[in-house]
Amino acid sequence: MNSPLITLHDVSARYGQRRILDHISLAIAPNEMVILRGPNGGGKTTLLRLIAGLIAPETGHISRRPDLRLGYLPQYRSIDRDFPVSVRQTVMGGLLEGRRLWQRPDTHHKARAAALMDRLHLTPLADRPIASLSGGQWQRVLLARALASDPDILLLDEPDTHLDTPSRHDLYTFIQNECNRCAIIMVSHDKDVATLFPTARVIVIENGRTTGQTL
């Protein structure tokens, strides 16, 4: 078996006085599909933020494979859709995250953006402003942005929220194909989503603890 991409060792986390996660141990293998379920406020988003390195654990520690690359589609989108940028510019923004301000996109970055837009059927929309997109189109743009770094782990926090049935179907089909390229951890409240991913590991997080096989 391949060694884990990331391992959480007896990790706890809190916001203020409230402990959100309580002694969680979890390992994610390459190309693994994990579905996180559970009630709102149970700790799912906090777990993704820990894995992404956006917050530090209160106790325990996290081991990451050297040079691990992560793509993250958060539940609360930080991009203002009224900002006058195009689909192409938004995807390129994901490619350029972490680069210095003076570094311009090179041929490799432009080719990577073009390939992502093609895979997600965004090429005809490349020059359109993001404010003009439908909910399903916008979600595909955000996926392209999250995939820009060619991640080893793709973190998706409720990517199916507010999508109509055809758009959800397209999203799930894309995610199924993407499992051949990277590990995926997805938070979803869709009660049927586990049946669409029969090989996925389902982890329920409630009151800061997990049920199901985690290590």
Side-chain angles (χ1 to χ4, degrees):
M1 180 178 177
N2 292 330
S3 59
L5 297 172
I6 189 167
T7 305
L8 281 68
H9 306 270
D10 199 28
V11 165
S12 298
R14 71 168 63 240
Y15 287 131
Q17 298 301 311
R18 183 188 170 206
R19 176 169 282 185
I20 306 297
L21 292 175
D22 191 18
H23 297 288
I24 301 295
S25 293
L26 173 68
I28 304 299
N31 303 105
E32 182 177 18
M33 176 72 186
V34 176
I35 299 171
L36 300 181
R37 304 291 301 277
N40 290 330
K44 302 182 298 297
T45 293
T46 299
L47 179 59
L48 289 190
R49 289 173 60 81
L50 278 168
I51 292 171
L54 298 175
I55 59 175
E58 177 193 19
T59 61
H61 68 281
I62 301 174
S63 302
R64 293 179 173 84
R65 195 183 70 180
D67 301 319
L68 183 71
R69 299 185 304 275
L70 292 127
Y72 183 33
L73 176 58
Q75 179 180 358
Y76 302 104
R77 322 301 188 214
S78 60
I79 300 173
D80 182 1
R81 287 190 64 184
D82 291 327
F83 196 72
V85 293
S86 68
V87 167
R88 180 182 286 107
Q89 289 170 318
T90 303
V91 175
M92 289 291 291
L95 281 158
L96 297 176
E97 283 183 355
R99 291 169 65 89
R100 299 188 182 280
L101 292 176
W102 53 265
Q103 291 179 300
R104 294 184 176 274
D106 55 23
T107 302
H108 168 76
H109 286 95
K110 292 176 181 178
R112 173 72 178 157
L116 283 168
M117 288 189 292
D118 187 58
R119 281 169 54 200
L120 283 158
H121 310 294
L122 293 170
T123 302
L125 308 176
D127 296 316
R128 283 180 55 177
I130 59 175
S132 69
L133 302 178
S134 69
Q137 291 168 339
W138 177 231
Q139 197 72 315
R140 282 186 279 140
V141 171
L142 293 174
L143 266 175
R145 182 181 173 90
L147 287 163
S149 63
D150 193 16
D152 302 299
I153 301 179
L154 178 62
L155 307 174
L156 305 174
D157 197 348
E158 299 189 31
D160 44 11
T161 301
H162 306 308
L163 295 184
D164 58 25
T165 299
S167 296
R168 270 200 310 274
H169 179 269
D170 290 344
L171 172 70
Y172 295 152
T173 299
F174 181 83
I175 290 172
Q176 287 171 327
N177 294 332
E178 205 60 27
C179 273
N180 296 320
R181 300 172 182 266
C182 63
I184 296 176
I185 307 175
M186 179 172 69
V187 175
S188 176
H189 290 288
D190 186 340
K191 64 181 185 299
D192 298 321
V193 72
T195 64
L196 301 173
F197 301 94
T199 62
R201 178 163 45 135
V202 178
I203 299 174
V204 178
I205 303 179
E206 187 170 6
N207 297 322
R209 293 191 176 265
T210 60
T211 61
Q213 184 180 359
T214 55
L215 265 178

